[in-house]
Amino acid sequence: MSNIVAIVGRPNVGKSTFFNRLVQKRQAIVDDVSGVTRDRHYGKSDWNGVEFTVIDTGGYVVGSDDTFEEEIRKQVELAVDEANVILFMVDNQVGLTDMDKEVGNLLRRTKKPTFLVVNKVDTNKNLDDSYEFYNLGIEKMYTIAAMSGSGTGELLDEVVNNFDTTEYVDPYEGLPKITIVGRPNAGKSTFINALLGEERNIVTDIAGTTRDSIQTLYNKFGQEFVLVDTAGMRKKGKVSEDLEFYSVMRAVRSIEECDICVLMIDATRGIEAQDLNILYLAERNRKGVVILVNKWDLVEKDTNTTKQMEDQIRRRIAPFNDVPILFISALTKQRVHKAIETFMTVNDNRNRRIKTSKLNETLLPIIEINPPPATKGKYIKIKYVTQLPTRTPQFAFFANLPQYVKDPYKRFVENQIRKEFDFEGVPIEVYFRKK
């Protein structure tokens, strides 16, 4: 059982700033605008050799006209249920508010260790202002400055003393990481909620609901992997707010760090230029790729609709068109479990190793019948092929004149590898070297 610390409080008290300090990364988006964080956000921290998981939550609000209020409140309550220790953060500069009292009422119902953390106490001069927070009825209070780190040591000493065990269990260690990406409002969060069978991530009709990249463990039907929900990615020219810029940067980083990149397309809009940009980014980073065409239930269909749209997508993504394409509906859960099987197949393909003897036995006769074209009267002879010991499928062909092998022949060789061995959904690199 891993140790989990949840940071809760009303909006704009500094929860994400403190979260970033604990995990020692700019992992959560921080802005002066109230209500930046919406979903639960997880990170790993340690103190005096004791490792633990930290959950950042959205600001707890009651009675506002914010569309996301109820969903954020659910996320906070789920975080409190998950945690071993709760940090209730308040803002010393603003003072005690009615909303702080609402959060205090919620936390008094839990039997878990709860610490009142008064943030933005930068000097001893404003220390006296913090005493009014004792009215919340929480016994243990600590004053800190999340921005500078002042006062956090004493708080963390007390936090780790309340753990049942000092052994940290990372639930994500060694598991495939599958990132769901796409344009805003394609249905990424709805799809993840459908897979998990619970309202794990906030879903609304408003584009840009998801801001941070949210990691979730999937463990059902004998399959185990990490799902990453990301913010919708728009063209640079249409990104107007700092918040959205940082959201898109988090999504790009999630692509760079994942194993499988799942590109979600809105079936009512078809594949667009930005979808292709996301696909090329995944391909450049040598990630496994699966394309999900979502909202298929909203499309009027005849007998050829599926084939026509699949052909259109394959033409647009050429030459890397050896990619599985599934037509799904996250809302009705149509083919949602088929998608899981496809993710795992592509992950297996990405990790596939072909024996050198099998490669040479299969490919050399094909190359002998279809050798590279002669250049400047010189004939290229390929003698040997092997798969390189890399994280993703890369192959080295040893020849007498590798510098004369042109791109069309490299594509021919790659196509032969794909034809003979199953690398669907995985970019392949082919190199020609001096024998």
Side-chain angles (χ1 to χ4, degrees), residues 152-363:
T152 56
E154 189 181 347
L155 169 63
L156 292 174
D157 284 341
E158 187 66 32
V159 166
V160 298
N161 284 340
N162 279 271
F163 292 149
D164 294 331
T165 173
T166 56
E167 186 179 342
Y168 176 80
V169 179
D170 185 354
Y172 303 153
E173 188 69 41
L175 295 178
K177 190 175 282 187
I178 297 170
T179 292
I180 316 294
V181 292
R183 292 171 52 80
N185 240 13
K188 299 180 290 295
S189 298
T190 306
F191 174 71
I192 288 179
N193 287 345
L195 282 185
L196 300 171
E198 60 176 312
E199 297 301 308
R200 184 78 182 188
N201 295 342
I202 295 176
V203 175
T204 73
D205 291 333
I206 301 168
T209 296
T210 303
R211 285 171 171 168
D212 283 297
S213 295
I214 312 298
Q215 294 193 18
T216 309
L217 180 66
Y218 179 93
N219 188 352
K220 290 182 180 179
F221 309 111
Q223 304 287 7
E224 194 171 25
F225 51 84
V226 182
L227 274 170
V228 185
D229 188 12
T230 62
M233 298 170 70
R234 297 199 293 168
K235 288 182 180 178
K236 275 185 186 176
K238 294 188 177 179
V239 176
S240 53
E241 300 176 22
D242 286 348
L243 277 180
E244 189 177 355
F245 170 76
Y246 289 122
S247 297
V248 171
M249 291 308 296
R250 298 289 193 280
V252 169
R253 188 189 301 166
S254 296
I255 292 174
E256 291 169 349
E257 293 174 352
C258 75
D259 298 298
I260 307 298
C261 181
V262 179
L263 174 59
M264 187 161 284
I265 296 170
D266 185 336
T268 61
R269 299 177 64 171
I271 188 163
E272 299 178 300
Q274 183 63 359
D275 297 316
L276 294 174
N277 290 336
I278 297 168
L279 180 78
Y280 297 149
L281 178 62
E283 186 188 0
R284 280 199 305 275
N285 283 279
R286 298 194 181 109
K287 306 302 177 184
V289 176
V290 176
I291 294 176
L292 297 184
V293 184
N294 190 27
K295 305 184 185 180
W296 195 236
D297 54 313
L298 302 180
V299 175
E300 289 187 26
K301 295 177 276 292
D302 58 33
T303 51
N304 292 321
T305 308
T306 305
K307 187 176 187 314
Q308 284 170 356
M309 182 166 271
E310 183 175 338
D311 289 345
Q312 179 202 358
I313 292 170
R314 293 200 185 282
R315 281 196 302 273
R316 294 290 303 277
I317 66 175
F320 180 40
N321 50 19
D322 187 15
V323 175
I325 300 172
L326 283 182
F327 295 83
I328 70 160
S329 168
L331 201 59
T332 65
K333 301 189 178 179
Q334 179 187 14
R335 297 191 192 90
V336 160
H337 294 293
K338 175 68 175 172
I340 296 173
E341 292 174 24
T342 308
F343 300 163
M344 293 295 95
T345 300
V346 171
N347 188 60
D348 290 343
N349 292 348
R350 191 167 182 260
N351 295 316
R352 176 161 284 117
R353 302 284 309 166
I354 310 295
K355 287 183 178 178
T356 301
S357 57
K358 180 72 174 172
L359 276 173
N360 284 279
E361 182 184 306
T362 306
L363 296 177

Side-chain angles (χ1 to χ4, degrees), residues 373-416:
T375 304
K376 298 176 183 176
K378 296 180 178 177
Y379 293 93
I380 303 161
K381 293 180 181 176
I382 298 168
K383 298 291 186 184
Y384 180 73
V385 56
T386 186
Q387 185 173 355
L388 299 174
T390 49
R391 180 71 184 84
T392 57
Q394 298 181 39
F395 299 87
F397 289 78
F398 292 88
N400 59 337
L401 299 166
Q403 67 272 28
Y404 293 139
V405 179
K406 301 291 188 288
D407 285 342
Y409 193 77
K410 288 180 182 178
R411 280 197 293 276
F412 165 77
V413 169
E414 180 186 330
N415 289 337
Q416 297 308 311

